[in-house]
Each structure stands twice: as C-alpha cells, then as structure tokens.
C-alpha cells in the first residue's frame, strides 16, 4: 500500500470542489462548494470520500492542488472575497488562520459525528474540527536497536555520532522534537532556550537535518542513519514489508499533531460545508480513509487497519490514554517565526 504524508512543512495539498446543496452561492459563485484539502492520496480520497459524498448528497466534486502554505497565503490574499468554503489544513496553519479571522464558527448541532470522536477532538480549541492525527516519535533501525527503541537522550550518545538525522524545525516532527528536548533537558516543554542550546551541541553528530521524509527513509533504509525523530505513519510500509525499521513514541514529550476542517469566513455555503465536515467525521468514512491511506481515525467507532495498530499501538484509538497531548498551539503560534530563524542560525546553519 502506498501511504502518503500528511500535512505540515511543505507538504503538498489538494483542493476539492463541490457544488453545494440548498440555496445560496458558494465562494466560487453559483451553487459550488469549494473544499481545500491535501493532495497526497488524492486519488484514494476521491474514491473513499468524494465519490460516496457525491452519491449520497448529489453534490458534484472536482479537484485542484496546492501546498499548505500556498493555500493559506492565497486565502490571506483573497480574504475579502474568498474562493474557498472549507479548508482542510494542519493544526499550526489552522491556528494562524483563526488568529487572522479567516475562519468561521461551526454549529455543533450541524456536526453530530463530533460527539463520537476521541477526547482531544471534542476538546480542541478554536473554530474548526480535527478529523485525523499523526504521532511524532522516533523512526529507528531494529538492527541497531535490538534491546529497545531510542530515547531522546540517545541522540546525544557518542556511539551514534554521524548516524542520526534530526528534522528541520519546519518539518512536521520539528517542533514536537524541540519541545521533547526542552522537556527532557529543561524545566518543561516551553523551555526552548535549553532545547536550542542542546540541539546546537548535537549539531556535529547529525548526518542530516531533513525536511523531506522521502530523503529520511532512504537514509534509514540504506543504513546511513539508524535513528531520527519522525512520524509513525512513515513506518507503516516498511514494517508491513518486513524491513528492519520501526517507530516508537519518544520517552519524553509525547505530543500529537492533527489536521483540521475549517469553514472559511465569508462562505455563503455554511450548511453544505458543515454537512461535508460531518460526513468526513462519520465512522464509515473514517474507516475507509484509514484503510486507503492510513489517516488515523478520530471517530471512536471507526475501524483501524492492523498495520496501523501494530506500529502505533494503543495511541491509535486512545491517544490521551497513551499519554499523547496536542501541542500548545497558541504558544507555538506566538514563537514559530522566531524559532524558524533561530534554528537556521543556531542549529542547522
């Protein structure tokens, strides 16, 4: 199975266009509902979400593509006359957009499937609704680590010098690893000064500061790298194929990242938009997307593929019970630009 990447740090995205049901013009005019989402797994998304949604609702759906940052920036440019009704976007970009007033409130009564979701979805701050999540942790060689997975402190072990990779701060695993280092060596996850000092100390031991997961997997499979902070979903294919790679949660700083469905402020099709979001959260759709491209379901009644449960463990169905919590998105939003500059200056530069 070809399992696609999710979202943050330059991940490509897709725009879904759907004609809205009911009266009112869409963001693109007429009766169209425009939904901007992710491009990885676009064909599978069309088969598992779009086509059944069309059949059930009579709403026509077409596709376009773009990156997370490009779509967000376009929304900023077009904020006076938005050409999108629903945006599927990462948690960090969603927080930025909510701060900018780009998104609108969702009527809880119009999205009843949210009541069947895991706790972090029901408690999520802001306006949108999380519909899938991923788990930052550590990807590692099972041949190099026969006695158990690496810990955060393993990356500073001299015996692994030159054989580790670290995510760039803009990669999905970048900020979670920063906060894990802060929690391990500092006073807590917000002690980023200590984290930056430790990462600067680690720099001579790092073979690659990666931003491309394809590049990272190649390094791991060739044995040039034996451990790297990374996302659980990138281990599924390797484990399923029997390659000597695996994933484990970090021993410190267990956080999760998620994608959010947002209604764009100024949309004239909020009823159809909320219908689409509720459909996306249904157990049937959540089960299909999990099977098709490993989107971890947030609906508690959805089925989880065996390989996903094997690699990611109990956190798939109960992330809170497994010790995972969402990032403090407000804190990250306050400092992300500063951290990107600082990482380039003090760590990777």
């Amino acid at each position: 199975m070809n399992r696609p990447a999710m979202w943050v740090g330059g991940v490509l995205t897709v725009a879904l266009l759907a004609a809205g049901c009911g009266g009112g013009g869409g963001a693109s005019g007429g009766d169209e509902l425009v939904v901007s989402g992710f491009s990885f797994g676009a064909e599978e998304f069309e088969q598992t979400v779009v086509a059944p949604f069309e059949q059930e609702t009579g709403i026509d759906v077409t596709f376009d593509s773009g990156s997370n940052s490009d779509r967000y920036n376009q929304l900023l440019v077009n904020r006076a006359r938005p050409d999108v009704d629903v945006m599927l976007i990462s948690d960090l970009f969603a927080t930025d957009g909510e701060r900018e007033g780009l998104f609108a409130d969702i009527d809880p009564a119009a999205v009843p499937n949210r009541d069947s979701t895991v706790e972090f979805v029901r408690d999520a701050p802001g306006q949108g609704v999380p519909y899938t999540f991923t788990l930052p942790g550590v990807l590692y060689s099972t041949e190099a680590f026969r006695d158990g997975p690496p810990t955060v402190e393993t990356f500073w072990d001299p015996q692994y010098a030159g054989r580790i990779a670290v995510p760039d701060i803009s990669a999905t695993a970048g900020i979670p690893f920063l906060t894990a280092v802060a929690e391990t060596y500092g006073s807590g996850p917000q002690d980023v000064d200590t984290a930056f000092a430790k990462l600067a100390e680690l720099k001579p031991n790092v073979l690659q500061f990666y931003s491309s997961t394809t590049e990272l997997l190649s390094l791991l499979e060739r044995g040039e790298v034996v451990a790297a902070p990374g996302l659980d979903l990138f281990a599924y294919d390797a484990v399923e194929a029997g390659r000597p790679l695996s994933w484990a949660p970090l021993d410190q700083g267990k956080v999760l990242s998620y994608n959010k469905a947002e209604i764009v402020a100024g949309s004239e099709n909020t009823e159809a938009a909320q219908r689409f979001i509720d459909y996306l959260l249904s157990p049937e759709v959540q089960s299909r997307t999990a099977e098709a491209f490993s989107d971890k379901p947030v609906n508690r009644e959805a089925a989880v593929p065996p390989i996903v449960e094997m690699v990611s463990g109990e956190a798939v169905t109960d992330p809170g019970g497994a010790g995972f919590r969402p990032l403090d998105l407000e804190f990250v939003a306050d400092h992300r630009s500063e951290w990107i500059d600082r990482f380039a200056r003090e760590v990777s530069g």
Side-chain angles (χ1 to χ4, degrees):
M1 187 181 297
N2 184 22
R3 306 181 194 280
M6 287 185 66
W7 51 358
V8 190
V11 172
L12 294 177
T13 54
V14 68
L16 307 169
L17 306 178
C21 57
S28 58
D31 290 328
E32 291 185 332
L33 175 69
V34 183
V35 182
S36 171
F38 297 92
S39 63
F40 277 114
E43 183 177 349
E44 292 88 348
F45 193 86
E46 183 175 13
Q47 294 169 353
T48 58
V49 180
V50 174
F53 181 72
E54 290 177 316
Q55 185 174 11
E56 181 175 313
T57 66
I59 297 174
D60 294 326
V61 179
T62 56
F63 292 87
D64 198 0
S65 63
S67 72
N68 235 344
S69 57
D70 286 347
R71 292 185 301 124
Y72 178 79
N73 290 333
Q74 191 66 31
L75 195 60
L76 279 172
V77 170
N78 295 333
R79 65 187 306 162
R81 299 187 63 182
D83 55 4
V84 172
D85 296 300
V86 176
M87 180 164 278
L88 310 179
I89 197 163
S90 74
D91 49 5
L92 296 178
F93 279 96
T95 301
D96 289 342
E98 289 171 0
R99 287 184 163 203
E100 286 286 339
L102 298 179
F103 302 127
D105 293 336
I106 296 175
D107 180 4
V111 189
N113 278 314
R114 185 173 186 171
D115 295 339
S116 299
T117 59
V118 293
E119 184 178 10
F120 87 84
V121 175
R122 288 177 278 124
D123 294 343
Q127 296 166 302
V129 182
Y131 66 92
T132 187
F133 66 100
T134 192
L135 302 174
V138 59
L139 294 161
Y140 66 98
S141 164
T142 54
E143 294 178 338
F145 295 93
R146 297 182 183 276
D147 296 329
T151 66
V152 173
E153 292 183 342
T154 299
F155 289 91
W156 280 261
D157 189 329
Q159 70 174 306
Y160 300 112
R163 304 174 67 200
I164 60 171
V166 169
D168 185 83
I169 194 73
S170 62
T172 308
I175 289 175
F177 187 58
L178 178 75
T179 60
V181 174
E183 193 165 327
T184 301
Y185 290 103
S187 59
Q190 295 190 2
D191 187 359
V192 294
D193 288 337
T194 297
F196 273 109
K198 290 298 295 184
L199 289 171
E201 174 188 313
L202 183 64
K203 178 181 177 179
N205 295 350
V206 178
L207 178 66
Q208 183 76 36
F209 289 100
Y210 75 88
S211 55
S212 164
T213 302
T214 301
E215 176 185 29
L216 172 62
L217 290 176
S218 178
L219 290 169
L220 284 163
E221 290 181 359
R222 294 200 305 267
E224 296 179 47
V225 163
V226 297
L231 306 181
D232 60 341
L233 64 93
F234 295 119
Y236 298 153
D237 278 344
V239 173
E240 196 167 40
R243 294 194 289 273
L245 294 177
S246 194
W247 175 91
L250 291 169
D251 59 316
Q252 297 283 336
K254 292 182 181 179
V255 296
L256 59 82
S257 301
Y258 55 80
N259 290 345
K260 219 174 186 186
E262 298 271 9
I263 295 179
V264 175
S267 167
E268 299 178 15
N269 285 326
T270 56
E271 183 178 345
Q274 290 172 153
R275 187 175 183 182
F276 182 87
I277 292 171
D278 189 57
Y279 183 81
L280 193 60
L281 292 174
S282 68
E284 298 80 11
V285 173
Q286 292 264 299
S287 298
R288 291 200 300 265
T289 56
E291 180 62 34
F293 46 91
S294 302
D295 255 11
K296 276 186 285 300
V298 297
N299 192 304
R300 291 170 293 174
E301 299 173 12
V304 179
I307 188 62
V308 175
E309 201 158 21
M310 179 190 302
V311 172
S312 304
E314 64 176 310
V316 174
T317 53
D318 186 10
F324 284 88
R325 64 186 187 278
L327 281 168
D328 184 339
L329 295 170
E330 292 295 329
F331 177 69
V332 174
D334 285 339
H335 300 285
R336 184 159 51 128
S337 295
E338 168 200 340
W339 292 348
I340 290 171
D341 292 341
R342 190 172 177 182
F343 192 88
R345 186 175 65 250
E346 298 180 19
V347 181
S348 65

